[in-house]
Amino acid sequence: MVGSVHVNGSVHGGNGTATEERLDELRRLLGKSEGDLLKIVSVGAGAWGSVFAALLQDAYGHFRDKVQIRIWRRPGRTVDRSTAEHLFEVINSREDVLRRLIRRCAYLKYVEARLGDRTLYADEILKDGFCLNMIETPLCPLKVVTNLQEAVWDADIVVNGVPSTETREVFDEISEYWKERISVPVIISLAKGIEASLDPIPRIITPTQMISSATGVPTENILYLGGPNIASEIYNKEYANARICGSNKWRKPLAKFLRQPHFIVWDNSDLVTHEVMGGLKNVYAIGAGMVAALTNESATSKSVYFAHCTSEMIFITHLLTEQPEKLAGPLLADTYVTLLKGRNAWYGQMLAKGELSPDMGDSIKGKGMIQGISAVGAFFELLSQPSLSVQHPEENKQVAPAELCPILKRLYRILIKRELPARDILQALRDETMNDPRERIEMAQSHAFYRPSLLGKP
Amino acid sequence: MVGSYANGGGAAPAAVAAEKLDELRLLLGKSDGDTLRVVGVGAGAWGSVFCALLQDAYGRHRDRVQVRVWRRAGRAVDRADAERLFEVINSREDVLRRLIRRCAYLKYVEARLGDRTLHADEILRDGFCLNMLDTPLCPLKVVTNLQEAVWDADIVINGLPSTETREVFGEIGRYWKERISQPLIISLAKGIEASLDPVPRIITPTQMISNATGVPLENILYLGGPNIASEIYNKEYANARICGADKWRKHLANFLRQPHFIVWDNSDLITHEVMGGLKNVYAIGAGMVAALTNESATSKSVYFSLCTSEMIYITHLLAPEPEKLAGPLLADTYVTLLKGRNAWYGQKLAKGELTLEMGDSIKGKGTIQGVSAVNAFYELLSQGSLSVMHPETKKAVAPVELCPILKTLYKILIKRELTTNSILQAIRDESMYDPRERIEMAQRQSLYRPSLLGLPKADAKA
């Protein structure tokens, strides 16, 4: 890996030189000649998609003759009165933001909205750096495009920031605009959800697979970026790491391009497994939030939950990949932060406190998409298929894998079938007959569980 | 495992408890009229809670079992603690009523006013542990004479810090010279020592106990698990693991298990005992990171990823087929990093509210075992005789060279040549390995060193 490029007290020139070198290297790899802009587009403006675009803009945006960073989001989303009031407070509490808006003659519309005399729109405020899902954390100003064709038609790099539940639809539309493209773009997907397909055989459909099917872009050019994903913390320069997964051709150059002093990016060749695991941990994050709320943040109960949910995750990884131990490190870090903080854990807490209910759906104002809900449905349905039967450790009979994942089963009944209240998650922990989590892991390691077909492999 | 307790079964818990007690008495050869004697040695938070749980569960069967706690005499309760204790008592109606009923209340009023000095053993009889004043326990039978406490004990619970285990059990060994029956010993201690002579190896508390008393290892077990003592006593759901020989561990797991305290069993005594100590090392660093980054979840996850990969690497040196860290050790690691004495200590150091010169025994908290464990693991893994192949330079290095967090903690806590901020530098070093690479290396190379746990090579798989 490269040595540290940021010496203490480095002058702007030194910093700029290293950054410009990375930009130039990527431009060369993509065949961009002098005067031909590298065009990067982030599709979707949730918290992480917005932060991702903002990080790139902060790092490379001043090289205006070499790179252009845009973000697409749908037009028409209104900012309601209470959010406008909240936004006004945020602006006025941040001197740097206030000064910037005044300087750009962009301040007064927020006063009007605060007073209820004007309706603001999400794309409008995003130009000034305010993401509707992350009002507390102002970003740098961004170039926002609301027309999808205009945004992506000539993009060199597309960052998928839409929820997995919208990925297929959006990229189907994008493929219409790309029919006559000559150059093949590079796509980085941030989406963490998955779908289950049961026909013709049970298997997982990942967002990168959806993108490849929809656009015809070869898998070699599609990568997944996973990692702990508290977007506001990453933008606020909290130290974070991430992992870009995909083909040899692109993953190392992109890891280098994306890396910043406070945002380390490692690379990995196993695209599919990491993408799936990114979705799996959101399943258990919801349960973690429930446990935290129901036990008043008991560390002891959280640890019991953690032991059980990680043993279920390990069990499931053995079905999905031949060498699951390789996931131990990165999966743990992601799981740790996702259980501690994050949208899915927050959602679990709100359900347990009765402040939200499953009928409100999985898209929450101010938070965005709760991907864990659809992932619960997907994983449970997949692992319930009799054709995937495994040997039960005690009862000497074949069972579907879901039978050995009591937390997943219970989450399914709470969130999807809605036949149990959230507090029943504690029953899953307190069942004395539940297997020691070590037994589940030992069982997973002692049998040949691997099912290549689950990830669409021959 | 026994079935789950029926909802609303009023008599069931007591009946189940009596059954479990009788089963254990039978196994230990106790006849009618011969009381089963359980003694907790040491009255830190976990040791006190452990005895209180047993007293709550079995204490009513006075003709069949007796639970005692030994602690040293003479420890004074200072004025500030006396005032706080008075507040706790008066805020808890059940506790206040109990003290009034036992004519034991007025001494706390006197102490609050500064007119009397209370002692730790005195307040422990009323259920107050000096390390855990906010969580009143049930009244306990407290003995301050060690010989009187242990001479006829059937089961001894080691609740001492590992740094005192050798000394205290050395003394106990002298009182047991003429014993006929062999006692059972359950150790809760989590620290370890490193011995470098004649070969580098780890000395665990259970080994210290066996050496000091002559009790065979078959009768000594380790109980590990997340250890937020006050939460366990307050019936937060918790799990633990009792590790040791086949003969006793399942029976003791059954005896110790309660509705809110699940105990599983495991045969691998040494690995779990050592890992119990190892996680305290990294818990101190986790506390530092939490304080220095204002509880950033993102930074915590980076630290967690790196420290678990070091722990996995170290387990591969210590065990031929170490449990993958996911599982029992993971829950312990998770809670120890989240909350607990060692993480608390790391936070205080980083905030400057405590300094290293204050030592590793903190008033109101007890011994911070992670400090001595940093030293032990570092010294052990620094030995040239344990060389491993460096993945990049392709030369032989001591294992500690591949554990940057452990090295940094050693320099902060033991050599004291770095400040706590260095822990952030350690996790932010761009040249640091992807934690996945360390794990792969651990799994690829043959790293296992039986001598580290004092095992001869021939018995590696025993």
Side-chain angles (χ1 to χ4, degrees):
Chain A
M1 301 173 75
V2 301
S4 175
V5 298
H6 296 275
V7 182
N8 277 337
S10 75
V11 297
H12 172 77
N15 188 71
T17 301
T19 305
E20 190 163 14
E21 259 170 46
R22 291 207 292 242
L23 175 55
D24 287 341
E25 184 183 331
L26 188 62
R27 282 171 48 85
R28 268 196 306 275
L29 284 167
L30 285 162
K32 308 304 288 192
S33 52
E34 199 97 36
D36 187 6
L37 285 178
L38 175 68
K39 301 184 183 73
I40 302 176
V41 179
S42 182
V43 173
W48 188 203
S50 300
V51 163
F52 196 87
L55 289 177
L56 292 178
Q57 178 67 24
D58 280 340
Y60 298 107
H62 52 286
F63 301 109
R64 256 185 242 100
D65 57 336
K66 298 189 188 183
V67 67
Q68 184 193 73
I69 295 150
R70 301 189 287 233
I71 184 165
W72 170 84
R73 75 156 289 144
R74 290 191 185 82
R77 175 73 183 271
T78 60
V79 178
D80 67 32
R81 179 70 184 275
S82 66
T83 304
E85 289 174 14
H86 184 197
L87 180 51
F88 191 64
E89 285 175 24
V90 170
I91 289 168
N92 289 331
S93 71
R94 288 276 303 256
E95 181 178 334
D96 56 328
V97 174
L98 182 54
R99 283 186 184 283
R100 187 177 80 206
L101 292 174
I102 294 280
R103 192 187 336 116
R104 284 162 42 107
C105 303
Y107 176 67
L108 287 182
K109 63 179 185 284
Y110 294 103
V111 185
E112 289 181 5
R114 161 70 180 81
L115 296 172
D117 294 340
R118 173 180 181 146
T119 299
L120 294 169
Y121 292 89
D123 53 286
E124 185 176 16
I125 68 173
L126 187 57
K127 289 190 173 87
D128 292 328
F130 303 111
C131 168
L132 200 53
N133 288 355
M134 205 180 60
I135 291 289
E136 299 280 338
T137 306
L139 306 173
C140 61
L142 294 167
K143 204 180 308 301
V144 181
V145 184
T146 54
N147 181 282
L148 187 56
Q149 180 172 16
E150 186 176 327
V152 303
W153 76 274
D154 60 348
D156 299 297
I157 299 178
V158 172
V159 179
N160 175 31
V162 303
S164 60
T165 47
E166 295 179 36
T167 295
R168 190 190 302 282
E169 174 197 346
V170 170
F171 277 84
D172 274 339
E173 188 177 343
I174 287 175
S175 75
E176 294 296 312
Y177 308 136
W178 278 354
K179 266 177 184 162
E180 294 167 20
R181 269 191 78 118
I182 296 172
S183 62
V184 181
V186 170
I187 302 173
I188 301 171
S189 176
L190 312 178
K192 282 188 162 59
I194 58 139
E195 288 178 3
S197 165
L198 305 179
D199 182 28
I201 55 180
R203 69 186 182 103
I204 287 167
I205 309 289
T206 64
T208 56
Q209 288 171 346
M210 296 174 199
I211 292 168
S212 183
S213 297
T215 62
V217 171
T219 302
E220 185 186 58
N221 277 40
I222 308 180
L223 301 97
Y224 166 70
L225 187 90
N229 205 322
I230 309 299
S232 60
E233 287 194 354
I234 293 176
Y235 193 71
N236 286 330
K237 301 286 197 286
E238 296 288 354
Y239 193 75
N241 60 355
R243 191 168 272 91
I244 189 160
C245 309
S247 66
N248 283 341
K249 179 179 180 184
W250 290 111
R251 69 174 193 263
K252 286 187 190 295
L254 284 171
K256 190 169 172 187
F257 179 70
L258 298 174
R259 193 175 294 129
Q260 297 188 18
H262 290 88
F263 185 63
I264 300 303
V265 182
W266 286 310
D267 66 276
N268 190 286
S269 62
D270 192 349
L271 166 67
V272 180
T273 308
H274 277 84
E275 194 174 17
V276 171
M277 289 310 136
L280 184 60
K281 68 179 199 288
N282 283 333
V283 167
Y284 292 99
I286 297 181
M290 293 173 180
V291 170
L294 293 166
T295 64
N296 196 29
E297 295 293 329
S298 159
T300 305
S301 294
K302 283 183 182 180
S303 76
V304 175
Y305 181 80
F306 197 64
H308 283 292
C309 78
T310 51
S311 73
E312 286 190 19
M313 290 169 79
I314 294 298
F315 175 72
I316 294 170
T317 61
H318 278 76
L319 289 165
L320 300 175
T321 178
E322 281 185 284
Q323 293 175 307
E325 290 80 14
K326 292 179 191 292
L327 295 178
L331 184 62
L332 286 187
D334 294 8
T335 301
Y336 184 75
V337 72
T338 303
L339 266 61
L340 259 187
K341 210 186 265 190
R343 194 164 47 213
N344 290 272
W346 169 88
Y347 179 74
Q349 293 207 21
M350 292 294 122
L351 286 185
K353 293 173 178 172
E355 294 176 28
L356 288 177
S357 69
D359 326 85
M360 293 170 181
D362 56 7
S363 185
I364 309 292
K365 183 175 86 74
K367 286 290 181 178
M369 180 70 60
I370 309 298
Q371 304 103 326
I373 300 172
S374 61
V376 168
F379 277 106
F380 184 82
E381 287 173 359
L382 196 67
L383 300 180
S384 297
Q385 299 306 301
S387 60
L388 299 174
S389 289
V390 297
Q391 182 74 22
H392 193 287
E394 287 170 358
E395 293 172 21
N396 200 27
K397 64 177 183 179
Q398 293 281 305
V399 294
E403 292 303 311
L404 302 176
C405 299
I407 293 180
L408 177 62
K409 277 180 76 179
R410 210 162 283 257
L411 287 170
Y412 178 78
R413 296 173 69 194
I414 293 170
L415 296 169
I416 309 295
K417 294 196 75 178
R418 300 178 187 175
E419 61 189 25
L420 295 178
R423 71 176 168 275
D424 265 64
I425 194 69
L426 292 185
Q427 293 311 119
L429 298 189
R430 294 175 175 178
D431 183 357
E432 276 197 44
T433 62
M434 182 185 283
N435 296 100
D436 184 342
R438 176 178 54 87
E439 286 173 17
R440 186 177 300 109
I441 292 169
E442 282 184 359
M443 175 179 52
Q445 290 165 353
S446 63
H447 294 80
F449 275 157
Y450 180 40
R451 299 282 194 279
S453 62
L454 278 172
L455 294 180
K457 293 173 178 170
Chain B
M1 299 169 71
V2 300
S4 161
Y5 289 97
N7 277 336
V16 172
E19 240 174 71
K20 294 203 285 191
L21 176 56
D22 287 342
E23 182 189 332
L24 189 62
R25 282 171 48 86
L26 199 64
L27 286 165
L28 286 164
K30 308 301 289 191
S31 52
D32 267 331
D34 187 6
T35 310
L36 176 69
R37 295 181 189 85
V38 182
V39 179
V41 172
W46 187 204
S48 300
V49 163
F50 195 88
C51 291
L53 289 177
L54 293 179
Q55 177 66 24
D56 280 341
Y58 299 108
R60 70 173 64 80
H61 305 290
R62 252 182 249 103
D63 57 333
R64 292 186 253 183
V65 66
Q66 183 193 75
V67 180
R68 302 191 284 237
V69 181
W70 171 83
R71 74 155 289 144
R72 288 190 186 83
R75 175 72 184 273
V77 178
D78 68 29
R79 180 72 184 272
D81 280 341
E83 287 175 15
R84 188 156 139 252
L85 182 50
F86 190 64
E87 283 176 27
V88 169
I89 289 168
N90 289 331
S91 71
R92 288 276 303 256
E93 181 178 332
D94 56 328
V95 174
L96 182 53
R97 283 185 185 283
R98 187 177 80 206
L99 292 174
I100 294 280
R101 192 186 336 114
R102 287 164 36 111
C103 303
Y105 176 67
L106 287 181
K107 64 178 184 282
Y108 294 103
V109 185
E110 289 180 4
R112 161 68 181 82
L113 296 172
D115 294 339
R116 172 179 181 147
T117 299
L118 294 169
H119 291 89
D121 53 287
E122 185 176 16
I123 67 172
L124 187 58
R125 291 199 177 92
D126 292 328
F128 303 111
C129 168
L130 201 53
N131 289 354
M132 204 180 62
L133 290 179
D134 285 346
T135 306
L137 306 173
C138 61
L140 294 167
K141 202 180 309 300
V142 180
V143 183
T144 54
N145 181 283
L146 185 57
Q147 182 172 16
E148 185 177 328
V150 303
W151 75 274
D152 61 348
D154 300 297
I155 300 178
V156 172
I157 313 292
N158 175 30
L160 297 160
S162 59
T163 46
E164 294 181 37
T165 294
R166 189 191 302 282
E167 174 198 344
V168 172
F169 277 85
E171 188 176 344
I172 289 175
R174 293 200 294 279
Y175 304 139
W176 279 352
K177 263 179 188 158
E178 294 166 21
R179 268 191 78 118
I180 296 173
S181 62
Q182 286 289 9
L184 291 182
I185 303 175
I186 301 172
S187 175
L188 312 179
K190 283 187 162 61
I192 58 141
E193 288 179 3
S195 165
L196 305 180
D197 182 27
V199 293
R201 70 189 181 102
I202 286 166
I203 309 289
T204 64
T206 55
Q207 288 170 346
M208 297 174 200
I209 292 169
S210 183
N211 291 338
T213 62
V215 172
L217 271 179
E218 185 185 59
N219 277 38
I220 309 181
L221 301 97
Y222 166 70
L223 187 93
N227 205 321
I228 309 300
S230 59
E231 286 194 354
I232 293 176
Y233 193 71
N234 285 331
K235 301 287 197 288
E236 295 289 354
Y237 193 74
N239 60 357
R241 195 172 301 287
I242 190 159
C243 309
D246 283 350
K247 183 177 179 184
W248 291 110
R249 69 172 193 264
K250 285 188 190 295
H251 303 297
L252 286 170
N254 188 48
F255 179 69
L256 298 173
R257 192 175 295 126
Q258 297 186 19
H260 290 88
F261 185 63
I262 300 303
V263 183
W264 285 309
D265 67 277
N266 190 286
S267 61
D268 191 351
L269 167 67
I270 298 183
T271 306
H272 278 81
E273 193 174 17
V274 171
M275 288 311 136
L278 184 61
K279 68 178 199 287
N280 284 333
V281 167
Y282 292 98
I284 297 180
M288 293 174 180
V289 169
L292 293 167
T293 64
N294 196 30
E295 295 293 328
S296 158
T298 305
S299 295
K300 282 182 181 180
S301 78
V302 174
Y303 180 81
F304 192 73
S305 177
L306 295 171
C307 79
T308 50
S309 73
E310 287 192 17
M311 289 171 76
I312 289 171
Y313 178 73
I314 293 170
T315 61
H316 277 76
L317 288 165
L318 300 175
E321 290 173 347
E323 292 193 14
K324 301 301 183 276
L325 197 67
L329 292 177
L330 190 60
D332 296 9
T333 301
Y334 182 73
V335 72
T336 302
L337 266 61
L338 257 188
K339 208 187 263 190
R341 195 163 46 211
N342 290 272
W344 170 89
Y345 180 72
Q347 292 207 22
K348 295 293 169 180
L349 288 181
K351 292 173 178 170
E353 294 171 25
L354 286 177
T355 65
L356 295 167
E357 287 73 30
M358 294 169 179
D360 60 7
S361 186
I362 308 293
K363 184 176 88 75
K365 286 291 181 179
T367 300
I368 308 298
Q369 304 104 326
V371 178
S372 62
V374 166
N375 190 43
F377 278 105
Y378 182 87
E379 286 186 350
L380 197 67
L381 300 180
S382 298
Q383 300 305 303
S385 59
L386 298 175
S387 294
V388 295
M389 182 66 57
H390 192 288
E392 280 182 359
T393 65
K394 301 305 177 193
K395 63 179 184 179
V397 294
V400 79
E401 293 304 313
L402 302 176
C403 299
I405 293 182
L406 177 60
K407 281 179 75 182
T408 302
L409 287 169
Y410 178 78
K411 289 176 176 174
I412 294 171
L413 296 168
I414 309 297
K415 293 198 75 178
R416 301 181 183 179
E417 62 190 28
L418 295 178
T419 64
T420 55
N421 282 289
S422 304
I423 196 71
L424 291 187
Q425 295 311 313
I427 69 175
R428 292 176 176 178
D429 183 358
E430 275 196 44
S431 64
M432 183 181 284
Y433 295 105
D434 182 343
R436 172 179 56 86
E437 288 175 18
R438 186 179 300 109
I439 292 169
E440 284 185 359
M441 175 175 48
Q443 290 163 352
R444 189 186 319 121
Q445 293 186 39
S446 172
L447 291 180
Y448 179 44
R449 300 286 193 278
S451 62
L452 279 173
L453 293 179
L455 303 169
K457 245 175 170 52
D459 294 339
K461 299 276 181 175

